[in-house]
Amino acid sequence: MFKATVYVTVKQNVLDPQGVAVQGALHSMGFNEVGKVRIGKYMELEVDATNRAEAEERVRQMCEKLLANTVVEDYRFELEG
Amino acid sequence: MNFAVLVFPGSNCDIDCYKAVEQTVGQPVDYVWHTATDLSKYDCIIVPGGFSYGDYLRSGAIARFAPVMAEVAKAAAAGKYVIGICNGFQILTEAGLLPGALRRNTSLKFRCHSSILRVENNKTPFTTQYEVGELIDIPIAHGEGNYYCDEATLAQLKQNNQIVFRYADNPNGSVEDIAGVCNEQGNVVGMMPHPERAVNQLLGSEDGKKMFTSILNAWREQHGAASIG
């Protein structure tokens, strides 16, 4: 059993309205050192696969098909196990 | 002409769409549950608004894999009329039947009010009874209607005349004020505003009515029947 940790974020060239709002809030609180803020999603998946390469390929397909919308989002993932 | 209104868990504009069909064109219309696997009897498929699957993960992301969506793709490829309204638009973009994606509104607010649209393309079967440049009053109700596509896609949309509606006053940050687009063939249309909520003056506007009468006319012309005004 593998554990996949998937991170999905809005693409760098696409506006992230939530990130902009959080950046504004941090600035108004006095955290002026904060530059760009991006909000994303964090997902943990348990994956049953016979080997690491297979798990990696399956998770990649899951990201491409469902977990991220590659029109506006980027993804990356880590595999443990 | 047979209309289908798809119903997903969490759809909430399905009844409005059904009633709008009944009241504007008086054609047979059915609710079709998301598990249906045969849409062959329908000439027009309406994917209504709402919050299918609670908008979990992304708006439309899960609905897009419902069993009925394979049939919608088949119908679209066969040239049948498909329209996605609000969450329906989000589902059609997630399914890849329409280009682009819908992001969170730049204001982060759920915007729910009337909006003025400019008709950009009256060549789609859904818009033939409008004039290009006509201003119509169609309400919006969404938190994620901020249309995005990359530069290359935008150039393509313009070149193929796929931008169907633009907002007169951009409420959500959409690229180029885009409120609705169609596929290259023009038989699949998606829009964030709700024409089904603008079919009677009692609702504040009847400017959405012509979308329904346009589609009936398009179908009748295709099938050699008399058209209506």
Side-chain angles (χ1 to χ4, degrees), chain B residues 16-33:
Chain B
D16 305 53
C17 287
Y18 185 99
K19 298 271 180 201
V21 170
E22 274 189 330
Q23 290 173 16
T24 56
V25 292
Q27 296 295 300
V29 52
D30 292 328
Y31 293 114
V32 176
W33 191 230

Side-chain angles (χ1 to χ4, degrees), chain B residues 20 24-25 83 119 124-132 134-136 138 165 195-196 198-200 205-218 228-229:
Chain B
T24 56
V25 292
I83 182 166
V119 179
T124 82
F126 292 94
T127 53
T128 51
Q129 295 190 343
Y130 295 106
E131 302 294 328
V132 169
E134 189 175 337
L135 296 178
I136 58 175
I138 309 280
F165 299 107
E196 82 281 12
V199 293
N200 192 308
S205 168
E206 55 180 18
D207 293 351
K209 216 168 160 177
K210 282 195 271 187
M211 288 202 74
F212 295 92
T213 50
S214 290
I215 198 68
L216 178 58
N217 262 356
I228 56 165

Side-chain angles (χ1 to χ4, degrees), chain B residues 68-125:
Chain B
V68 76
M69 288 307 295
E71 281 294 298
V72 173
K74 213 191 282 176
K80 291 187 176 185
Y81 312 129
V82 178
I83 182 166
I85 300 165
C86 199
N87 188 221
F89 184 16
Q90 295 162 337
I91 295 169
L92 294 182
T93 57
E94 281 283 342
L97 293 171
L98 287 172
L102 284 313
R103 299 169 296 181
R104 182 72 64 96
N105 293 351
T106 45
S107 64
L108 297 177
K109 286 181 183 150
F110 189 95
R111 303 288 302 264
C112 183
H113 50 72
S114 68
S115 71
I116 303 297
L117 309 182
R118 193 169 57 244
V119 179
E120 301 288 344
N121 174 352
N122 68 352
K123 299 282 192 284
T124 82

Side-chain angles (χ1 to χ4, degrees), chain A residues 19-36:
Chain A
V20 172
V22 170
Q23 182 196 39
L26 288 170
H27 284 174
S28 69
M29 292 160 73
F31 294 108
N32 294 312
E33 67 272 38
V34 175
K36 199 171 180 182

